[in-house]
Amino acid sequence: MTLELIPNTELIFKGPFTAVSTTALKLTNAGSEKLAYKIKTTAPKRYCVKPNSGYLDGHTTTSVQVMLQPHPPGQPDDRAKHKFMVQWAAVPANYNEDVDNFVR
């Protein structure tokens, strides 16, 4: 049971940062078990993640859009401090409830 992330170390956003900047995170379930995932950030007001949670059947891939909101004028640029966490766990193949009920 393995969830692979591409990129796997850092997300790169291209400016200008006066408008929404979008990048993609690819999630691949390299195993055969169904996985539930949830993506969290230390700066939830600065990012929109779609979808931020879901299921991946075995040997499938999905793309998640991560949108950085415009940088507020006059505020210090603290993007280097922002972090993301991807939580995941194996779930029964027939489990179809809301992923929030499984991964917290």
Side-chain angles (χ1 to χ4, degrees):
M1 139 174 96
T2 301
L3 183 66
E4 296 174 355
L5 309 175
I6 297 175
N8 63 3
T9 56
E10 63 184 36
L11 295 173
I12 306 294
F13 294 91
K14 297 185 181 187
F17 298 108
T18 55
V20 174
S21 178
T22 302
T23 193
L25 175 63
K26 187 166 96 171
L27 307 178
T28 300
N29 180 352
S32 57
E33 295 179 275
K34 182 177 184 176
L35 300 179
Y37 71 89
K38 183 163 189 157
I39 302 170
K40 297 181 177 182
T41 179
T42 57
K45 292 182 179 177
R46 294 292 312 275
Y47 298 93
C48 180
V49 180
K50 290 185 179 182
N52 65 351
S53 61
Y55 294 105
L56 274 174
D57 290 324
H59 305 290
T60 60
T61 298
T62 192
S63 183
V64 174
Q65 298 298 310
V66 182
M67 293 156 273
L68 173 62
Q69 301 305 308
H71 185 72
Q75 297 287 325
D77 185 359
D78 60 350
R79 286 176 289 149
K81 296 178 184 178
H82 300 168
K83 306 234 184 286
F84 288 88
M85 175 174 60
V86 180
Q87 295 177 306
W88 56 275
V91 295
N94 61 351
Y95 190 86
N96 289 319
E97 290 185 38
D98 186 354
V99 73
D100 287 333
N101 293 334
F102 195 82
V103 179
R104 295 200 190 266

